[in-house]
């Protein structure tokens, strides 16, 4: 998938076929009112997740373009969205320094973790029982998904200059190209 920036608040899906001169618009997904920061696909390839500066996450049916869910709970820009390995929940992280776990079918908030530091990444244990929240220059934290209980804290990541924010250009949409 490649992204192409446009000046609208839309997500564009476009197919690209090798050796074809023209690109045809497949679908325009309209729903965000601010810059889109993250785009992620579901494990089964049926859903698309988009997160924006306004802190909301939209869940789309990739085939029909229908907006399935609007996840509201973050108070700042969303930069990380992952689907749980079991496909039952969505994990998101925001500049509000929280990680949230959402029920994928209902959109209900299942758990919320306050991190008190900028979040570098969020990953899930192989068995799906824990999430590991990596932070810059602070210990990573492991939480039990079901209870939200803090299990342990590990060594922190060093700040990576390549991961600094680039605010030079405002992205209001993401165009997806099927390769």
């Amino acid at each position: 998938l490649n992204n192409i920036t446009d000046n609208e608040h839309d997500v564009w899906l476009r197919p690209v076929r090798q050796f074809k001169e023209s690109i045809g618009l497949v679908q325009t997904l309209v729903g965000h009112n601010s810059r889109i920061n993250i785009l992620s696909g579901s494990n089964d390839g049926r859903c698309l997740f988009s997160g924006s500066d306004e802190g909301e996450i939209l869940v789309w049916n990739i085939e029909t373009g229908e907006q399935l869910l609007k996840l509201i709970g973050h108070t700042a820009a969303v930069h990380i969205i992952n689907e749980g390995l079991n496909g039952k929940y969505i994990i998101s992280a925001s500049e509000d320094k929280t990680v949230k776990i959402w029920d994928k079918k209902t959109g209900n908030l299942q758990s919320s973790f306050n991190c008190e530091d900028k979040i570098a990444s969020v990953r899930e244990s192989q068995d799906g029982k824990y999430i590991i929240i990596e932070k810059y220059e602070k210990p990573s934290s492991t939480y039990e998904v079901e209870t939200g209980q803090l299990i342990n804290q590990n060594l922190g990541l060093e700040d990576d200059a390549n991961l600094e924010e680039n605010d030079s250009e405002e992205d209001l949409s993401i165009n997806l190209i099927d390769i």
Side-chain angles (χ1 to χ4, degrees):
L1 296 177
N2 294 323
N3 76 29
I4 299 172
T5 304
D6 194 358
N7 291 329
E8 297 295 322
H9 301 288
D10 304 338
V11 177
W12 300 75
L13 302 181
R14 296 176 183 247
V16 176
R17 306 282 184 245
Q18 276 189 327
F19 311 111
K20 284 195 175 183
E21 294 179 14
S22 64
I23 298 175
L25 177 66
V26 173
Q27 191 113 217
T28 301
L29 306 178
V30 180
H32 285 289
N33 295 315
S34 66
R35 179 174 60 179
I36 299 167
N37 300 311
I38 181 70
L39 200 59
S40 178
S42 64
N43 300 335
D44 63 8
R46 294 182 180 161
C47 293
L48 183 69
F49 313 116
S50 56
S52 69
D53 270 355
E54 59 200 2
E56 72 181 11
I57 299 163
L58 300 182
V59 179
W60 308 90
N61 178 311
I62 199 92
E63 289 184 24
T64 67
E66 175 188 3
Q67 182 181 311
L68 303 174
L69 295 169
K70 181 184 269 191
L71 309 178
I72 299 174
H74 286 293
T75 59
V78 175
H79 289 285
I80 297 171
I81 305 173
N82 300 317
E83 182 178 37
L85 295 175
N86 62 11
K88 294 181 181 177
Y89 54 86
I90 299 165
I91 304 167
S92 62
S94 167
E95 287 181 9
D96 64 8
K97 300 176 184 172
T98 64
V99 172
K100 297 189 183 298
I101 299 178
W102 311 86
D103 182 287
K104 185 179 169 192
K105 286 185 180 180
T106 66
N108 292 333
L109 182 62
Q110 299 296 302
S111 299
S112 184
F113 309 96
N114 293 316
C115 297
E116 299 178 5
D117 193 42
K118 187 174 178 183
I119 301 162
S121 69
V122 179
R123 57 192 166 92
E124 184 180 21
S125 64
Q126 287 295 98
D127 61 8
K129 293 181 180 179
Y130 308 98
I131 61 166
I132 299 92
I133 302 170
E134 299 284 348
K135 297 170 276 184
Y136 297 102
E137 298 179 11
K138 300 270 179 148
S140 65
S141 302
T142 303
Y143 292 90
E144 189 173 12
V145 172
E146 291 286 319
T147 65
Q149 180 180 356
L150 177 65
I151 303 301
N152 68 19
Q153 292 190 329
N154 303 317
L155 298 175
L157 297 174
E158 290 185 14
D159 197 2
D160 186 342
N162 293 328
L163 295 176
E164 289 181 11
E165 292 183 33
N166 179 3
D167 290 329
S168 62
E169 207 172 299
E170 192 168 304
D171 296 330
L172 299 178
S173 67
I174 298 173
N175 296 332
L176 293 183
I177 302 173
D178 181 11
I179 302 177

